[in-house]
Structure formats: C-alpha cells, structure tokens
Amino acid sequence: QVQLVESGGGVVQAGGSLRLSCAASGRTSSIVDMGWFRQAPGQERLFVGRISWRGGSTYYVDSVKGRFTISKDNAKNTMYLQANSLKPEDTAVYYCAARSPLVAGYDSWGQGTQVTVSS
C-alpha cells in the first residue's frame, strides 16, 4: 500500500502561482505513475494530469496545458504540481493519486489540499 500526503494549497489571486507537493510513503517501489485530480464544490472529481514514475513522461488535460507542470523527485518520493496563471475556475480540492501495476485505475489517494483562486 502507498500512502500519499498533499501540501501547498492556499489562497491566491487570479494570475498567481502555487506549487503543490505530494509525498509518497510505504510501497513506493510499486508505483507506476502518479496523477493529480481536482474536485470543485458540487462537481465530480476530474483528472488534471499525470507523470510516469520511472520515465517521467507527462500528460495534461487541455484546460491546464501550458499553465500547469507536473514533476517528480524520485529520491524524495515526491510529485509536484506547479500551477501558474491560475484562474478562479481552478478553485478546487486537489488530490494526488498513485497507480500500482496490474491496476486499471489509481488505487492510492491523498487527503486533498484546497486551492482557492480569487478574482
């Protein structure tokens, strides 16, 4: 099992930046890739992007492409989300998740961190 803890959320004005972190512990050797999701009030949880844990390839949804960057530090078992040019519609609870081999979806989740973008 992998345990995940997010940090770095907060309140920022539109156009500002935040850097979220996701620290993994436990069976980190089993991680295939890690992803970021977000959930706005009253809405479903949506995929934001992911990073391959070994190769480092990334993928982003169109709404954040060019503004958000996912990176990782394997030595620290930590994934990051650099969010720039933030918009009020980016306001949500951000969750990180990890996927193990032979699993179709993400099977480990963090508790979430709130990001609020004021206009």
Side-chain angles (χ1 to χ4, degrees), residues 37-103:
F37 292 75
R38 64 186 181 184
Q39 187 169 21
Q43 299 186 20
E44 61 182 355
R45 189 175 299 185
L46 299 176
F47 174 72
V48 173
R50 64 163 177 81
I51 187 165
S52 169
W53 199 238
R54 294 182 180 175
S57 61
T58 55
Y59 175 84
Y60 305 92
V61 296
D62 287 345
S63 59
V64 306
K65 202 172 294 183
R67 300 188 299 122
F68 289 13
T69 302
I70 298 174
S71 61
K72 63 183 176 70
D73 184 335
N74 290 77
K76 296 181 179 180
N77 290 320
T78 300
M79 174 179 65
Y80 304 96
L81 177 66
Q82 178 67 43
N84 298 329
S85 302
L86 283 161
K87 305 175 182 180
E89 51 263 42
D90 293 318
T91 295
V93 177
Y94 282 70
Y95 298 88
C96 65
R99 187 170 65 87
S100 303
L102 306 180
V103 175

Side-chain angles (χ1 to χ4, degrees), residues 25-49:
S25 60
R27 294 189 61 187
T28 57
S29 61
S30 69
I31 296 174
V32 174
D33 70 70
M34 294 184 70
W36 286 100
F37 292 75
R38 64 186 181 184
Q39 187 169 21
Q43 299 186 20
E44 61 182 355
R45 189 175 299 185
L46 299 176
F47 174 72
V48 173

